[in-house]
């Protein structure tokens, strides 16, 4: 039975991923009442339900993020030091990397990230300032001209609908799901070179040409064990499938070289003395070498590799049945990767397969060993007052001008322009970047007055998304949006009015500075 219940709050945040969580925390700290929805039962998105260790930059330990994001990182290390039996060296290491994965300076278990986020939110959830609605997705929005009047959400467990009313609505969903419901001007997929002038853009725009998604799995390895899963439904397809940019099947030890994506690079399973890069410790999140007593049978790693990037079709702009097909396709590809590792993956020492590879659903809070949700790299993106492009970030295009600075900056970040293979053209690249700033104009929709993007759905091109989608930047965007919504409520202004008034913009930016949000890079930082 479906019934409609009304709930009201100051700020309505649709989507409990990393940006949504940061936005809720920021708005609550600023005195606002918040309703936060989440499609799964885990807040935190990339860090938790999607199982992606933080991709960051080389300055992250000291600068280049918000103070609250660095607090999160510090709390993760403290969680291990308080709760795990660590060696003396690990316990005393101020830069402890719990999993010693080389993708991140802080490779850690998703459950630890979840526990830390709950700790950070606890004062506000426990006192009712933040109300979290789990297993909840948006289905309708009521608008009047340039204003959103309400957003109706569906509770997946019981089919109940809830009409949410607030002063401001933040879209922090993984695909920008609120944007079309509210009639907000937005784009998706690839822009054309005619539109943006970007040298890496397509000749013709294609809204269905989106970055691949990845359904992450957690595995450990028990030598001598046999945990071979049932042959996946689509295994034969993926075993034969050869991407357009490769001469090897996707299930092989060859993938694009990040240093030059026109070339292929050989990888292998474990560390070796042949100079071949090991994927096992790439996203390793459990390393028993830091423990003073044994806790389990070995290391745990996350399968988020080029081998299970799914680019057979998009999730956005297609009918629901096609979306479901691609979501299941991504699961099938990851299960096929697991089966291939267990049975047919070539071993450097000779032979095939590692039957001791075991799916670890307990690590991800699932029965099947796959993450609760897929990692979605690319969202719908608002049409904003300012659109970030390749020209703002690319080292090559900016040349001697260095990083681009914005007077209305609301944060900073840094990451390569990293585009994973796309669903139509399968193009991929990894373009060197300058550290970047986040312009407020990219958070302001061109028309709707009480809507804000709060994650990777700001006004930017697909190419710029390649760097603005990563963990510290998504957190920063969410925090900036949460503080902006709070400022707008308190001063009875629209976000656009805040942006267009020099006095209000500076006052808002001062609130960000007071919270420890870094607005600009300094030359001294960049020279370190």
């Amino acid at each position: 039975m479906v019934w409609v219940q009304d709930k009201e709050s100051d700020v309505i945040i649709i989507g409990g991923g990393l940006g949504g969580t940061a936005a809720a925390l920021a708005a609550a700290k600023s005195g606002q009442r918040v309703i936060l929805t989440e499609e799964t039962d885990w807040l935190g998105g990339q860090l938790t339900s999607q199982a992606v260790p933080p991709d960051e930059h080389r300055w992250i330990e000291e600068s280049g993020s918000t103070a609250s994001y660095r607090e999160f990182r510090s709390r993760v290390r403290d969680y291990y030091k308080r709760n795990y039996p660590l060696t003396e060296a690990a316990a005393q290491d101020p830069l402890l990397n719990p999993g010693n994965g080389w993708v991140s300076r802080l490779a850690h278990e998703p459950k630890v990230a979840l526990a830390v986020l709950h700790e950070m939110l606890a004062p506000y959830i426990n006192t009712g300032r933040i109300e979290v609605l789990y297993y909840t997705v948006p289905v309708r929005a009521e608008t009047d001209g340039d204003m959103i009047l309400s957003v109706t959400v569906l509770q997946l467990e019981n089919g109940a609908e809830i009409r949410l009313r607030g002063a401001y609505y933040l879209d922090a969903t993984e695909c920008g799901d609120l944007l079309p419901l509210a009639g907000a001007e937005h784009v998706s997929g690839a822009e054309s070179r005619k539109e943006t002038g970007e040298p890496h853009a397509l000749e013709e725009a294609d809204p269905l040409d989106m970055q691949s998604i990845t359904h992450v799995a957690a595995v450990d390895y028990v030598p001598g064990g046999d945990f071979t899963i049932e042959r996946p439904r689509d295994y034969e397809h993926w075993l034969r499938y050869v991407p357009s940019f490769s001469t090897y099947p996707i299930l092989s030890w060859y993938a694009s070289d990040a240093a030059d994506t026109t070339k292929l690079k050989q990888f292998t399973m474990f560390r070796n003395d042949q100079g071949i890069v090991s994927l096992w410790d790439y996203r390793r999140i459990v390393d028993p070498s830091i423990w003073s007593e044994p806790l389990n049978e070995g290391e745990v790693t996350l399968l988020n590799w080029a081998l299970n990037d799914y680019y057979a079709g998009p999730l956005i702009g297609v009918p629901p049945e096609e979306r479901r097909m691609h979501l299941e396709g991504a699961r099938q590809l990851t299960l096929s990767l697991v089966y291939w590792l267990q049975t047919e993956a070539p071993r450097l020492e000779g032979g095939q397969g590692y039957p001791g590879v075991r799916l670890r659903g307990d690590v991800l809070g699932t029965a099947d060993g796959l993450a609760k949700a897929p990692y979605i790299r690319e969202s719908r993106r608002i049409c904003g007052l300012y659109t970030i492009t390749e020209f703002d970030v690319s080292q090559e295009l900016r040349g001697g001008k260095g990083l681009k600075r914005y007077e209305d900056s609301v944060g900073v970040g840094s990451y390569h322009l990293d585009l994973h293979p796309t669903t139509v053209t399968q193009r991929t690249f990894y373009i060197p970047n300058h550290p970047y700033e986040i312009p407020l104009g990219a958070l302001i929709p061109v028309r709707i007055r009480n809507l804000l993007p709060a994650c990777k759905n700001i006004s930017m091109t697909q190419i710029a998304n390649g760097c603005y989608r990563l963990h510290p930047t998504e957190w920063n965007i969410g925090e900036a949006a949460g503080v902006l919504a709070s400022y707008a409520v308190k001063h009875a202004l629209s976000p656009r009015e805040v942006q267009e008034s020099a006095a209000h913009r500076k006052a808002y930016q001062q609130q960000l500075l007071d919270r420890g949000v870094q607005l600009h890079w300094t030359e001294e930082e960049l020279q370190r």
Side-chain angles (χ1 to χ4, degrees), residues 40-69:
T40 72
D41 60 343
W42 279 15
L43 295 174
Q46 292 188 61
L47 285 171
T48 59
S49 60
Q50 298 166 33
V52 183
D55 287 296
E56 299 167 332
H57 51 73
R58 61 189 177 93
W59 300 278
I60 194 64
E61 300 296 351
E62 298 176 354
S63 62
S65 71
T66 75
S68 63
Y69 182 76

Side-chain angles (χ1 to χ4, degrees), residues 431-442:
I431 303 169
N433 72 293
H434 277 304
Y436 52 80
E437 298 176 352
I438 307 168
L440 176 58

Side-chain angles (χ1 to χ4, degrees), residues 363-374:
V363 173
L364 303 180
T366 63
D368 60 8
L370 273 63
K372 289 175 177 285

Side-chain angles (χ1 to χ4, degrees), residues 379-393:
S379 171
R380 298 176 180 90
R381 306 179 294 280
I382 69 161
C383 295
L385 299 186
Y386 182 86
T387 301
I388 305 163
T389 74
E390 182 181 359
F391 290 99
D392 292 329
V393 187

